[in-house]
Amino acid sequence: MKDTIKLINITIGLLMFPVMAFAQTEAAHAAGSGLAGTVYGYLAVIFFIGAYALVPLENNIHLRKSKPVLLAAGVIWVLVSLAYTGIGDTHTAHDAIKHSLIEYAELFLFLLAAMTYINAMEERNVFQRLRAILVSRGLSLRKIFWITGILAFFISPVADNLTTALLMGAVAMAVGGNNKGFISIACINIVVAANAGGAFSPFGDITTLMVWQKGKIAFSQFFAIFIPSLVNWLVPAVIMSLFVDKDVPEALDESVTMKYGAWVIMGLFGATIVTAVCFHNMLHLPPAAGMMLGLGYLGMFSFHIKRHENRTNKYDPILGAREIDCTPSSDLTSFDIMKKISRAEWDTLLFFYGIILCVGGLAQFGYLALISQFMYLDLGATWANTLVGVLSAILDNIPVMFAVLTMDPAMSHGQWLLVTLTAGTGGSMLAIGSAAGVALMGAARGTYTFGGHLKWTPVIALGYALSIICHLLLNRALM
């Protein structure tokens, strides 16, 4: 009977592998392991699976992904509290949820600052200017294929893979026009490049950010997987490029000028990244605190932009002369940092809250030890970390990485680099495996599809496998 119960728990644990949460105390793990087979534990699993199953259907049923997971988070923590109260423990659940809230707060503040900068640069026409330059050059389709891939690979480490994919996808769609075949293969290339580029930078993906904030890999150490990441994109890109026409479409007459302060905002974003790194490495403070200081840089400069634009945009209605008036303007077109903050991806930020609280609650029921035993002791670290990438192609890579960080297996530095590489790039094998792929499917609806991406999955998987081999060879001293 005990073996049967253990088998059931392991099975549920494996199903819940991509949704386990942040590490808790050893006492909580010990207490939670006795609750894995309770009604409360199974109900928590059912609620989470039900809520998470609605996430991929967001575009079909028009239900924002944050709503079901927010509901599930609250219900799961009620179950956690009832389970621990039933065994006479009124403190563990309280301490555990506080831990999850702190973890979420750090992630939230970091992403809020980064999203605000991205929105500010978009409003200043930074990305539109880059797009206009590319579509007006009269380049061949094959050159556009390579240029968008290269830019996606090198922009995503700073601007994140989702923003980069949407920007480069807009270029491919503008140049491709009615050529659906080119747009589809170009979007696939962009998704692979953006995910691979984001893997060797803490700022390139949520998973790499979590690994960095947890202190598993230092900022400079991420660059050890630069070449494996490059192989991950370059191998499928070379093969796919052979199927891209060399036709030269007519150049589009598009001209965009960046607005006042655009270059300074880009510089401030760079300074913000440096500040976050210094907070983490030199001051031993959370990187999120450094990002919020950087948001202060943008806040002060936004005040200067608003005063400048109020001066230059206001004219005397009779004389037509400029009014030198520095009073605040109610003009809706004036630059306001609060507007940029309000345009953050709140659905995504709330989704992260729901996921972290859900998996934080599920972790209290004790499935974590079972999964850790199977993945990292029975299979071994290399195979387990390779499997992480495969799972991230089927499910979201964020809860998958949460699971690994929660387990906190005794791994070498090289293995932590490997799981960072696989979690960041494994999602490229399926269109639904990464935020970049899902976003581009929405932007190029009917042209870039799940089926179209699936045709190239073997080629992408080849790049994935070779990138792992490359890492094992180049960084064998770290393994």
Side-chain angles (χ1 to χ4, degrees), residues 85-257:
T85 301
I87 60 175
D89 185 348
T90 59
H91 300 288
T92 298
H94 178 267
D95 293 339
I97 197 172
K98 284 177 63 177
H99 177 84
S100 293
L101 288 172
I102 291 173
E103 295 283 1
Y104 171 71
E106 289 188 14
L107 181 64
F108 169 81
L109 294 175
F110 192 103
L111 293 176
L112 183 65
M115 288 178 175
T116 303
Y117 264 103
I118 296 300
N119 289 336
M121 288 190 285
E122 183 179 12
E123 192 274 341
R124 295 284 98 180
N125 291 341
V126 172
F127 301 126
Q128 295 88 326
R129 174 60 179 164
L130 176 60
R131 175 181 178 274
I133 291 174
L134 292 175
V135 300
S136 61
R137 294 299 190 207
L139 301 171
S140 69
L141 294 180
R142 185 170 291 185
K143 286 183 178 179
I144 288 293
F145 174 89
W146 278 110
I147 290 173
T148 53
I150 292 171
L151 289 176
F153 184 82
F154 286 103
I155 293 176
S156 62
V158 178
D160 82 69
N161 53 4
L162 174 58
T163 302
T164 303
L166 289 174
L167 171 62
M168 293 296 105
V171 174
M173 287 183 282
V175 175
N178 296 324
N179 191 335
K180 293 185 177 182
F182 168 75
I183 295 175
S184 177
I185 199 170
C187 286
I188 297 170
N189 180 51
I190 289 167
V191 168
V192 177
N195 289 335
F200 67 88
S201 165
F203 297 86
D205 190 77
I206 304 300
T207 56
T208 57
L209 173 61
M210 290 189 297
V211 172
W212 180 48
Q213 288 193 139
K214 277 290 187 179
K216 297 299 181 183
I217 303 175
F219 183 84
S220 60
Q221 293 171 336
F222 278 90
F223 297 104
I225 55 174
F226 171 79
I227 294 179
S229 297
L230 182 62
V231 169
N232 185 282
W233 162 63
L234 205 55
V235 170
V238 169
I239 297 173
M240 288 190 291
S241 69
L242 301 177
F243 296 86
V244 178
D245 296 333
K246 296 181 180 180
D247 297 345
V248 180
E250 184 178 352
L252 300 178
D253 185 13
E254 184 172 341
S255 178
V256 176
T257 303

